[in-house]
Amino acid sequence: MNAKDLSNRLQKAAEFVPQGAILADIGSDHAYLPVALMLQGKIAHGIAGEVVVGPYESAKKQVAKNGLTEKIDVRLADGLDAVVLNDHVSTVTICGMGGVLIQDILQRGKENQRLSGKERLILQPNVGERQLRTWLVNENYQLTDEAIVAENQKIYEIIVAEKVETTPEYSAKELFFGPVLLKEKNSIFLEKWRHKLIKSEKILASLRQSDQDVAKKIENVAQEIKWIKEVLADAGK
């Protein structure tokens, strides 16, 4: 992959970036996303934040190679410490991390006053989607859009969130599947949950054979299995 040929998940994330955005890409790796968006003329300015020196240097090279050093700032920093309010960031992308880590980055960004609350968040967690959605809703974000993509035999979800005065009420089931994805139920979504059902049933069988006190875990997994079966049955109608 190079800056002009994004992976499926980054291309899908890019589609949610508004025209003319000031973008902060946190955990930017090689800065592929901001570079590609700048080359497309989609963003006005970019910030590529990276906490690890190796990827930070790679990002600087990628930006320089494409002649974008005046348009994209590459910053060595932990999470949202890469930005300040005076950057006037309008969109934040965080892709390719666990949902709990993304949540932690956003929480620390909030505590350190790195976010104004007006930013569009475009998040691509590798795992822990439900936990991330729950945090967003508790912080008064609306889940405005979602997507699900397949790449290299893995399935990834993308969550788009914006802060609102009155947050819609989401059910536990919606936070588990994703409210937008649950409505669409496309083929990739169904594929994900068919595989998840098999895994969850194996986990439940193992828990029931355990000599530990796992009653709560059994209850939770059984509930998830019930939800998955309902969704798959509904999609098959």
Side-chain angles (χ1 to χ4, degrees):
M1 184 186 75
N2 58 51
K4 297 177 184 177
D5 184 21
L6 295 174
S7 64
N8 287 349
R9 62 186 180 87
L10 287 184
Q11 181 57 50
K12 182 55 69 173
E15 291 174 15
F16 293 115
V17 176
Q19 184 69 38
I22 297 176
L23 174 73
D25 185 40
I26 305 303
S28 195
D29 199 4
H30 290 68
Y32 286 129
L33 184 57
V35 166
L37 288 169
M38 188 61 74
L39 292 175
Q40 294 166 17
K42 193 169 187 183
I43 59 173
H45 193 78
I47 297 165
E50 181 54 62
V51 69
V52 181
V53 173
Y56 162 74
E57 294 293 344
S58 295
K60 285 207 300 183
K61 289 176 184 175
Q62 184 71 240
V63 169
K65 184 175 78 173
N66 286 278
L68 297 174
T69 51
E70 299 297 315
K71 293 285 190 176
I72 298 174
D73 296 328
V74 183
R75 300 176 183 174
L76 184 64
D78 188 2
L80 284 162
D81 286 347
V83 303
V84 294
L85 291 178
N86 283 343
D87 289 320
H88 302 293
V89 168
S90 62
T91 302
V92 175
T93 49
I94 310 178
C95 301
M97 305 180 198
V100 174
L101 177 55
I102 293 174
Q103 172 188 321
D104 182 56
I105 288 170
L106 293 170
Q107 180 66 37
R108 285 186 287 118
K110 173 194 167 189
E111 291 169 358
N112 296 335
Q113 297 183 319
R114 303 289 174 163
L115 296 178
S116 68
K118 297 176 182 177
E119 303 87 357
R120 172 180 289 191
L121 304 181
I122 302 169
L123 313 171
Q124 183 264 295
N126 292 342
V127 294
E129 298 90 350
R130 172 168 53 175
Q131 294 94 320
L132 181 55
R133 288 191 188 98
T134 301
W135 183 90
L136 288 166
V137 171
N138 288 339
E139 292 294 324
N140 297 318
Y141 282 92
Q142 181 179 356
L143 307 177
T144 57
D145 215 334
E146 294 176 310
I148 187 165
V149 296
E151 179 180 304
N152 297 330
Q153 298 183 317
K154 292 184 180 179
I155 292 175
Y156 300 98
E157 294 182 12
I158 296 161
I159 301 167
V160 184
E162 295 182 12
K163 197 158 258 193
V164 291
E165 287 189 13
T166 305
T167 314
E169 288 191 14
Y170 298 99
S171 67
K173 186 176 181 179
E174 286 177 314
L175 294 177
F176 181 62
F177 291 103
V180 178
L181 299 177
L182 187 58
K183 285 180 184 176
E184 294 176 350
K185 297 188 185 73
N186 69 21
S187 60
I188 300 173
F189 173 88
L190 296 175
E191 179 188 347
K192 170 178 177 167
W193 291 107
R194 288 189 193 104
H195 286 296
K196 177 66 174 172
L197 177 60
I198 294 168
K199 288 182 180 179
S200 294
E201 287 180 328
K202 288 179 180 177
I203 290 169
L204 184 60
S206 177
L207 286 170
R208 284 176 170 158
Q209 293 175 359
S210 173
D211 55 4
Q212 305 295 316
D213 182 9
V214 290
K216 188 62 180 175
K217 285 185 179 179
I218 288 174
E219 182 184 341
N220 291 340
V221 175
Q223 177 62 75
E224 291 174 4
I225 289 172
K226 181 174 180 288
W227 281 340
I228 296 168
K229 285 182 174 178
E230 288 173 354
V231 167
L232 293 177
D234 184 57
K237 290 178 182 177

